[in-house]
Amino acid sequence: MAVDVNKPKPITLDTFTRGIWKENPVFVMLLGMCPVLAVTNSTMNALAMGLATMFVLVCSSTLVSLMRHLIPKQVRIATYIVIIATFVTIVDYLIQAISLELYKALGAFIQLIVVNCIILGRAEAYASKHRVTKAVVNAVGMGVGFAIGLLALGTVRELLGSGTLLGFSVFGSSFQPWAIMVLPPGGFFVLGSWLLLFSWLEERKTRKSEEAEIEGEVAHGA
Amino acid sequence: MSTEGQIPNLEQPPGPGKIIKVLGGVAMLSGLLVVLTYQLTLPTIMENRRIAREKAVLSVIPGATSFIEFMLSEHEGLIRVKADGSTKVPEGMVDPVYAGYDNAGQFMGVALEAGAQGYQDVVRTLYGYSPPCECIVGMTVLESKETPGLGDKVETDPDFIANFKALEAKLSGDKKALANPIETVKHGTKKHPWQIDAISGSTVTSNAIGKGLNNSAQRLLPLLRYHLDEFEIEQ
């Protein structure tokens, strides 16, 4: 992530989509696996966790970016943690105010957003080195990428494990729910399957571009 | 860090004053934001909690449409909890007692709390007790971290919930304990009205609920016996 601080590059679509595809926190960087595995037993929980994390990520990135010239680098981690913890506490109260049931379902994982490495990672590697707008766009992209990752697991696990989607029955009453999918092992199974799919796609892409290169060289040589 | 200052062309390390200023400033900003959110969301959160508790209480006392909160203290008897939260909590064991009333103000029964160790953590339940029938007339799970898909069936399985329509909780001859302890039996082997038919596959959680109900009823019902007339009050 070598970026020249003196010459700010303009915001491109890549600033935003980087977090969704190329550097997806769940499927590419494999960061923040604890909530990914723990609270994706239903689509609703996954969505709520994704939104909560995105809120903390965007707010803390904004504040860190705004204060990037003020914070001495000797105490930057302490400062970031205080900033992140503040927004996590805010999100904690907001969710309690929105729905107690949701709050109960997410349990300790809301408080654990404090130690989510995506957020501290973004603050340290991006927000502290970029302008506010750029940091916000990047944080939103990462947040969306994380939420997509959670939803990808949450929908599959809810469909297979309870036969429902957002609580509505999909397969009808004859479907025998695959209870293991909503249990912790199911989280590993589904995550593993998604990773397999993505690495297969990646490998296919590399192979194709290699083949294209070889063909190009041959054509050039002839 | 101290050597850095002597090398030219390098950034001067910030003095302790600046570091303290930044950390203090961030901490103050953080405090401000947290307190602001807390103050703004507190009324909504309290209201949510009240609604959740009201729903639970009314669901375990059939026919009840309103309730009054009491405290049952082992030393000082039954105390009515004031709505403004100014009630002094006496020393020793204190249990919440919710008395339910129907539309006409008729006393319908009480809701009591119970809890016992389940598979993961303590399963906390609320149950309704009807004094004329001397039985448990409803049960709902307040808090449970049981395995989804297995242990949480105790909240949804209709056959299991049917156990708590009229679960016998009669006091023994000397009125000091239950005549027959409430117990959970293996699925399909329920013979007596004081037994709970377990869910196969959720045996541990079913047992925890039975154990919690038994402990709570054994301790609270003999105490409550002396105060039953106090519930028959004007609302």
Side-chain angles (χ1 to χ4, degrees), chain B residues 75-110:
Chain B
H75 303 307
E76 294 179 30
L78 198 68
I79 304 159
R80 184 166 171 174
V81 177
K82 290 181 196 129
D84 57 1
S86 62
T87 321
K88 213 177 129 256
V89 179
E91 278 179 35
M93 289 273 255
V94 178
D95 292 276
V97 176
Y98 307 96
Y101 301 86
D102 69 0
N103 277 332
Q106 185 75 33
F107 173 60
M108 300 302 286
V110 292

mmCIF file of all heavy atoms in Angstrom, chain B residues 75-110:
data_model
loop_
_atom_site.group_PDB
_atom_site.id
_atom_site.type_symbol
_atom_site.label_atom_id
_atom_site.label_comp_id
_atom_site.label_asym_id
_atom_site.label_seq_id
_atom_site.Cartn_x
_atom_site.Cartn_y
_atom_site.Cartn_z
ATOM 1 N N HIS B 75 -36.846 -11.468 54.640
ATOM 2 C CA HIS B 75 -37.007 -10.925 55.987
ATOM 3 C C HIS B 75 -38.216 -10.013 56.120
ATOM 4 O O HIS B 75 -38.857 -9.979 57.149
ATOM 5 C CB HIS B 75 -35.764 -10.122 56.391
ATOM 6 C CG HIS B 75 -34.505 -10.912 56.321
ATOM 7 N ND1 HIS B 75 -34.368 -12.113 56.959
ATOM 8 C CD2 HIS B 75 -33.330 -10.688 55.679
ATOM 9 C CE1 HIS B 75 -33.163 -12.602 56.722
ATOM 10 N NE2 HIS B 75 -32.518 -11.762 55.931
ATOM 11 N N GLU B 76 -38.491 -9.238 55.065
ATOM 12 C CA GLU B 76 -39.488 -8.185 55.238
ATOM 13 C C GLU B 76 -40.785 -8.447 54.494
ATOM 14 O O GLU B 76 -41.631 -7.561 54.383
ATOM 15 C CB GLU B 76 -38.883 -6.832 54.801
ATOM 16 C CG GLU B 76 -37.745 -6.415 55.714
ATOM 17 C CD GLU B 76 -37.122 -5.102 55.301
ATOM 18 O OE1 GLU B 76 -37.845 -4.259 54.737
ATOM 19 O OE2 GLU B 76 -35.918 -4.937 55.529
ATOM 20 N N GLY B 77 -40.955 -9.629 53.961
ATOM 21 C CA GLY B 77 -42.220 -9.960 53.314
ATOM 22 C C GLY B 77 -42.393 -9.298 51.962
ATOM 23 O O GLY B 77 -41.423 -9.011 51.261
ATOM 24 N N LEU B 78 -43.646 -9.030 51.632
ATOM 25 C CA LEU B 78 -43.975 -8.533 50.299
ATOM 26 C C LEU B 78 -43.973 -7.007 50.290
ATOM 27 O O LEU B 78 -44.601 -6.374 51.134
ATOM 28 C CB LEU B 78 -45.351 -9.071 49.912
ATOM 29 C CG LEU B 78 -45.720 -9.035 48.454
ATOM 30 C CD1 LEU B 78 -44.863 -10.008 47.666
ATOM 31 C CD2 LEU B 78 -47.187 -9.387 48.289
ATOM 32 N N ILE B 79 -43.248 -6.438 49.323
ATOM 33 C CA ILE B 79 -43.167 -4.980 49.230
ATOM 34 C C ILE B 79 -43.603 -4.578 47.820
ATOM 35 O O ILE B 79 -43.139 -5.166 46.837
ATOM 36 C CB ILE B 79 -41.709 -4.488 49.448
ATOM 37 C CG1 ILE B 79 -41.188 -5.008 50.782
ATOM 38 C CG2 ILE B 79 -41.641 -2.974 49.365
ATOM 39 C CD1 ILE B 79 -39.689 -5.021 50.863
ATOM 40 N N ARG B 80 -44.482 -3.593 47.724
ATOM 41 C CA ARG B 80 -44.892 -3.131 46.401
ATOM 42 C C ARG B 80 -43.825 -2.196 45.846
ATOM 43 O O ARG B 80 -43.360 -1.290 46.541
ATOM 44 C CB ARG B 80 -46.229 -2.405 46.499
ATOM 45 C CG ARG B 80 -46.730 -2.002 45.138
ATOM 46 C CD ARG B 80 -48.187 -1.606 45.184
ATOM 47 N NE ARG B 80 -48.556 -1.029 43.906
ATOM 48 C CZ ARG B 80 -49.770 -0.687 43.570
ATOM 49 N NH1 ARG B 80 -50.746 -0.832 44.433
ATOM 50 N NH2 ARG B 80 -50.025 -0.171 42.392
ATOM 51 N N VAL B 81 -43.417 -2.414 44.604
ATOM 52 C CA VAL B 81 -42.383 -1.592 43.992
ATOM 53 C C VAL B 81 -43.020 -0.321 43.449
ATOM 54 O O VAL B 81 -44.003 -0.376 42.715
ATOM 55 C CB VAL B 81 -41.677 -2.359 42.859
ATOM 56 C CG1 VAL B 81 -40.646 -1.486 42.173
ATOM 57 C CG2 VAL B 81 -41.025 -3.619 43.400
ATOM 58 N N LYS B 82 -42.459 0.819 43.851
ATOM 59 C CA LYS B 82 -43.009 2.092 43.367
ATOM 60 C C LYS B 82 -42.561 2.330 41.938
ATOM 61 O O LYS B 82 -41.447 1.978 41.546
ATOM 62 C CB LYS B 82 -42.523 3.233 44.263
ATOM 63 C CG LYS B 82 -43.154 3.170 45.642
ATOM 64 C CD LYS B 82 -42.661 4.335 46.499
ATOM 65 C CE LYS B 82 -42.950 4.073 47.950
ATOM 66 N NZ LYS B 82 -41.776 4.250 48.805
ATOM 67 N N ALA B 83 -43.433 2.958 41.155
ATOM 68 C CA ALA B 83 -43.162 3.157 39.733
ATOM 69 C C ALA B 83 -41.980 4.082 39.485
ATOM 70 O O ALA B 83 -41.289 3.957 38.477
ATOM 71 C CB ALA B 83 -44.409 3.704 39.056
ATOM 72 N N ASP B 84 -41.712 4.996 40.416
ATOM 73 C CA ASP B 84 -40.635 5.974 40.154
ATOM 74 C C ASP B 84 -39.252 5.429 40.514
ATOM 75 O O ASP B 84 -38.253 6.136 40.402
ATOM 76 C CB ASP B 84 -40.911 7.284 40.901
ATOM 77 C CG ASP B 84 -41.061 7.054 42.402
ATOM 78 O OD1 ASP B 84 -40.936 5.893 42.833
ATOM 79 O OD2 ASP B 84 -41.307 8.031 43.129
ATOM 80 N N GLY B 85 -39.189 4.155 40.930
ATOM 81 C CA GLY B 85 -37.890 3.537 41.191
ATOM 82 C C GLY B 85 -37.289 3.936 42.525
ATOM 83 O O GLY B 85 -36.103 3.781 42.749
ATOM 84 N N SER B 86 -38.112 4.468 43.459
ATOM 85 C CA SER B 86 -37.557 4.935 44.733
ATOM 86 C C SER B 86 -37.647 3.871 45.824
ATOM 87 O O SER B 86 -37.315 4.138 46.968
ATOM 88 C CB SER B 86 -38.295 6.197 45.184
ATOM 89 O OG SER B 86 -39.657 5.900 45.392
ATOM 90 N N THR B 87 -38.095 2.658 45.470
ATOM 91 C CA THR B 87 -38.261 1.609 46.474
ATOM 92 C C THR B 87 -36.900 1.156 47.007
ATOM 93 O O THR B 87 -35.979 0.919 46.227
ATOM 94 C CB THR B 87 -38.974 0.398 45.865
ATOM 95 O OG1 THR B 87 -39.980 0.862 44.993
ATOM 96 C CG2 THR B 87 -39.570 -0.489 46.927
ATOM 97 N N LYS B 88 -36.804 1.051 48.337
ATOM 98 C CA LYS B 88 -35.553 0.585 48.937
ATOM 99 C C LYS B 88 -35.514 -0.945 48.886
ATOM 100 O O LYS B 88 -36.475 -1.613 49.269
ATOM 101 C CB LYS B 88 -35.471 1.064 50.388
ATOM 102 C CG LYS B 88 -34.043 1.349 50.822
ATOM 103 C CD LYS B 88 -34.020 1.895 52.231
ATOM 104 C CE LYS B 88 -33.036 1.114 53.066
ATOM 105 N NZ LYS B 88 -33.632 0.171 53.995
ATOM 106 N N VAL B 89 -34.419 -1.487 48.380
ATOM 107 C CA VAL B 89 -34.316 -2.942 48.297
ATOM 108 C C VAL B 89 -33.807 -3.463 49.637
ATOM 109 O O VAL B 89 -32.722 -3.073 50.092
ATOM 110 C CB VAL B 89 -33.352 -3.355 47.168
ATOM 111 C CG1 VAL B 89 -33.229 -4.870 47.113
ATOM 112 C CG2 VAL B 89 -33.833 -2.805 45.842
ATOM 113 N N PRO B 90 -34.586 -4.324 50.324
ATOM 114 C CA PRO B 90 -34.153 -4.832 51.627
ATOM 115 C C PRO B 90 -32.984 -5.808 51.477
ATOM 116 O O PRO B 90 -32.710 -6.319 50.390
ATOM 117 C CB PRO B 90 -35.400 -5.533 52.169
ATOM 118 C CG PRO B 90 -36.226 -5.844 50.975
ATOM 119 C CD PRO B 90 -35.899 -4.842 49.917
ATOM 120 N N GLU B 91 -32.322 -6.068 52.622
ATOM 121 C CA GLU B 91 -31.173 -6.978 52.584
ATOM 122 C C GLU B 91 -31.629 -8.427 52.463
ATOM 123 O O GLU B 91 -32.802 -8.741 52.677
ATOM 124 C CB GLU B 91 -30.342 -6.788 53.850
ATOM 125 C CG GLU B 91 -29.412 -5.595 53.741
ATOM 126 C CD GLU B 91 -28.617 -5.394 55.011
ATOM 127 O OE1 GLU B 91 -28.252 -6.397 55.662
ATOM 128 O OE2 GLU B 91 -28.351 -4.227 55.337
ATOM 129 N N GLY B 92 -30.706 -9.303 52.157
ATOM 130 C CA GLY B 92 -31.020 -10.726 52.032
ATOM 131 C C GLY B 92 -31.591 -11.041 50.658
ATOM 132 O O GLY B 92 -31.526 -10.234 49.741
ATOM 133 N N MET B 93 -32.137 -12.259 50.541
ATOM 134 C CA MET B 93 -32.688 -12.699 49.258
ATOM 135 C C MET B 93 -33.943 -11.902 48.895
ATOM 136 O O MET B 93 -34.882 -11.833 49.699
ATOM 137 C CB MET B 93 -33.053 -14.181 49.356
ATOM 138 C CG MET B 93 -31.850 -15.080 49.407
ATOM 139 S SD MET B 93 -31.311 -15.481 47.758
ATOM 140 C CE MET B 93 -31.885 -17.152 47.639
ATOM 141 N N VAL B 94 -33.946 -11.320 47.716
ATOM 142 C CA VAL B 94 -35.117 -10.585 47.251
ATOM 143 C C VAL B 94 -35.468 -11.095 45.864
ATOM 144 O O VAL B 94 -34.590 -11.234 45.011
ATOM 145 C CB VAL B 94 -34.823 -9.069 47.202
ATOM 146 C CG1 VAL B 94 -36.038 -8.326 46.656
ATOM 147 C CG2 VAL B 94 -34.465 -8.541 48.569
ATOM 148 N N ASP B 95 -36.741 -11.432 45.657
ATOM 149 C CA ASP B 95 -37.167 -11.915 44.341
ATOM 150 C C ASP B 95 -38.282 -11.039 43.810
ATOM 151 O O ASP B 95 -39.162 -10.619 44.563
ATOM 152 C CB ASP B 95 -37.679 -13.352 44.462
ATOM 153 C CG ASP B 95 -36.558 -14.299 44.788
ATOM 154 O OD1 ASP B 95 -35.877 -14.734 43.864
ATOM 155 O OD2 ASP B 95 -36.351 -14.575 45.996
ATOM 156 N N PRO B 96 -38.248 -10.769 42.501
ATOM 157 C CA PRO B 96 -39.352 -10.007 41.929
ATOM 158 C C PRO B 96 -40.598 -10.880 41.805
ATOM 159 O O PRO B 96 -40.503 -12.061 41.490
ATOM 160 C CB PRO B 96 -38.819 -9.604 40.546
ATOM 161 C CG PRO B 96 -37.784 -10.610 40.226
ATOM 162 C CD PRO B 96 -37.226 -11.108 41.517
ATOM 163 N N VAL B 97 -41.746 -10.296 42.091
ATOM 164 C CA VAL B 97 -43.031 -10.987 41.952
ATOM 165 C C VAL B 97 -43.935 -10.063 41.157
ATOM 166 O O VAL B 97 -44.088 -8.892 41.511
ATOM 167 C CB VAL B 97 -43.675 -11.272 43.329
ATOM 168 C CG1 VAL B 97 -45.054 -11.902 43.145
ATOM 169 C CG2 VAL B 97 -42.783 -12.165 44.166
ATOM 170 N N TYR B 98 -44.481 -10.564 40.042
ATOM 171 C CA TYR B 98 -45.382 -9.740 39.258
ATOM 172 C C TYR B 98 -46.789 -10.299 39.417
ATOM 173 O O TYR B 98 -47.032 -11.459 39.085
ATOM 174 C CB TYR B 98 -44.986 -9.748 37.779
ATOM 175 C CG TYR B 98 -43.535 -9.389 37.549
ATOM 176 C CD1 TYR B 98 -42.564 -10.381 37.400
ATOM 177 C CD2 TYR B 98 -43.135 -8.062 37.498
ATOM 178 C CE1 TYR B 98 -41.239 -10.061 37.202
ATOM 179 C CE2 TYR B 98 -41.808 -7.723 37.299
ATOM 180 C CZ TYR B 98 -40.867 -8.727 37.151
ATOM 181 O OH TYR B 98 -39.548 -8.406 36.961
ATOM 182 N N ALA B 99 -47.688 -9.473 39.939
ATOM 183 C CA ALA B 99 -49.062 -9.920 40.131
ATOM 184 C C ALA B 99 -49.899 -9.465 38.948
ATOM 185 O O ALA B 99 -49.909 -8.280 38.615
ATOM 186 C CB ALA B 99 -49.624 -9.346 41.424
ATOM 187 N N GLY B 100 -50.583 -10.405 38.303
ATOM 188 C CA GLY B 100 -51.376 -10.078 37.118
ATOM 189 C C GLY B 100 -52.848 -9.926 37.441
ATOM 190 O O GLY B 100 -53.392 -10.630 38.292
ATOM 191 N N TYR B 101 -53.501 -8.972 36.767
ATOM 192 C CA TYR B 101 -54.925 -8.708 36.985
ATOM 193 C C TYR B 101 -55.632 -8.664 35.636
ATOM 194 O O TYR B 101 -55.042 -8.262 34.635
ATOM 195 C CB TYR B 101 -55.110 -7.364 37.694
ATOM 196 C CG TYR B 101 -54.406 -7.302 39.026
ATOM 197 C CD1 TYR B 101 -53.065 -6.923 39.104
ATOM 198 C CD2 TYR B 101 -55.062 -7.655 40.199
ATOM 199 C CE1 TYR B 101 -52.397 -6.895 40.314
ATOM 200 C CE2 TYR B 101 -54.410 -7.623 41.418
ATOM 201 C CZ TYR B 101 -53.080 -7.247 41.477
ATOM 202 O OH TYR B 101 -52.423 -7.221 42.670
ATOM 203 N N ASP B 102 -56.913 -9.055 35.619
ATOM 204 C CA ASP B 102 -57.659 -8.966 34.372
ATOM 205 C C ASP B 102 -58.324 -7.587 34.268
ATOM 206 O O ASP B 102 -58.110 -6.711 35.115
ATOM 207 C CB ASP B 102 -58.670 -10.111 34.244
ATOM 208 C CG ASP B 102 -59.815 -9.993 35.226
ATOM 209 O OD1 ASP B 102 -59.826 -9.013 36.002
ATOM 210 O OD2 ASP B 102 -60.679 -10.884 35.234
ATOM 211 N N ASN B 103 -59.146 -7.409 33.230
ATOM 212 C CA ASN B 103 -59.748 -6.103 32.983
ATOM 213 C C ASN B 103 -60.571 -5.600 34.158
ATOM 214 O O ASN B 103 -60.629 -4.404 34.421
ATOM 215 C CB ASN B 103 -60.640 -6.176 31.735
ATOM 216 C CG ASN B 103 -59.800 -6.010 30.489
ATOM 217 O OD1 ASN B 103 -58.755 -5.362 30.532
ATOM 218 N ND2 ASN B 103 -60.237 -6.601 29.390
ATOM 219 N N ALA B 104 -61.222 -6.525 34.885
ATOM 220 C CA ALA B 104 -62.080 -6.125 35.993
ATOM 221 C C ALA B 104 -61.279 -5.900 37.279
ATOM 222 O O ALA B 104 -61.853 -5.624 38.322
ATOM 223 C CB ALA B 104 -63.142 -7.191 36.211
ATOM 224 N N GLY B 105 -59.951 -6.047 37.207
ATOM 225 C CA GLY B 105 -59.132 -5.848 38.395
ATOM 226 C C GLY B 105 -59.047 -7.087 39.265
ATOM 227 O O GLY B 105 -58.587 -7.048 40.395
ATOM 228 N N GLN B 106 -59.508 -8.209 38.735
ATOM 229 C CA GLN B 106 -59.487 -9.476 39.469
ATOM 230 C C GLN B 106 -58.067 -10.046 39.456
ATOM 231 O O GLN B 106 -57.419 -10.091 38.403
ATOM 232 C CB GLN B 106 -60.445 -10.443 38.770
ATOM 233 C CG GLN B 106 -60.642 -11.768 39.456
ATOM 234 C CD GLN B 106 -61.527 -11.638 40.689
ATOM 235 O OE1 GLN B 106 -62.430 -10.815 40.733
ATOM 236 N NE2 GLN B 106 -61.228 -12.438 41.694
ATOM 237 N N PHE B 107 -57.562 -10.494 40.610
ATOM 238 C CA PHE B 107 -56.223 -11.076 40.699
ATOM 239 C C PHE B 107 -56.192 -12.436 39.993
ATOM 240 O O PHE B 107 -57.011 -13.311 40.271
ATOM 241 C CB PHE B 107 -55.847 -11.222 42.178
ATOM 242 C CG PHE B 107 -54.563 -11.957 42.412
ATOM 243 C CD1 PHE B 107 -53.373 -11.481 41.883
ATOM 244 C CD2 PHE B 107 -54.538 -13.127 43.173
ATOM 245 C CE1 PHE B 107 -52.188 -12.168 42.098
ATOM 246 C CE2 PHE B 107 -53.357 -13.811 43.386
ATOM 247 C CZ PHE B 107 -52.181 -13.331 42.855
ATOM 248 N N MET B 108 -55.295 -12.595 39.030
ATOM 249 C CA MET B 108 -55.278 -13.801 38.202
ATOM 250 C C MET B 108 -54.140 -14.765 38.536
ATOM 251 O O MET B 108 -54.190 -15.933 38.199
ATOM 252 C CB MET B 108 -55.149 -13.430 36.715
ATOM 253 C CG MET B 108 -56.258 -12.568 36.171
ATOM 254 S SD MET B 108 -57.868 -13.323 36.361
ATOM 255 C CE MET B 108 -57.808 -14.569 35.101
ATOM 256 N N GLY B 109 -53.088 -14.254 39.150
ATOM 257 C CA GLY B 109 -51.939 -15.117 39.437
ATOM 258 C C GLY B 109 -50.670 -14.288 39.486
ATOM 259 O O GLY B 109 -50.697 -13.077 39.258
ATOM 260 N N VAL B 110 -49.555 -14.950 39.790
ATOM 261 C CA VAL B 110 -48.297 -14.225 39.868
ATOM 262 C C VAL B 110 -47.293 -14.797 38.863
ATOM 263 O O VAL B 110 -47.386 -15.963 38.477
ATOM 264 C CB VAL B 110 -47.671 -14.298 41.287
ATOM 265 C CG1 VAL B 110 -48.512 -13.531 42.266
ATOM 266 C CG2 VAL B 110 -47.472 -15.728 41.715
#
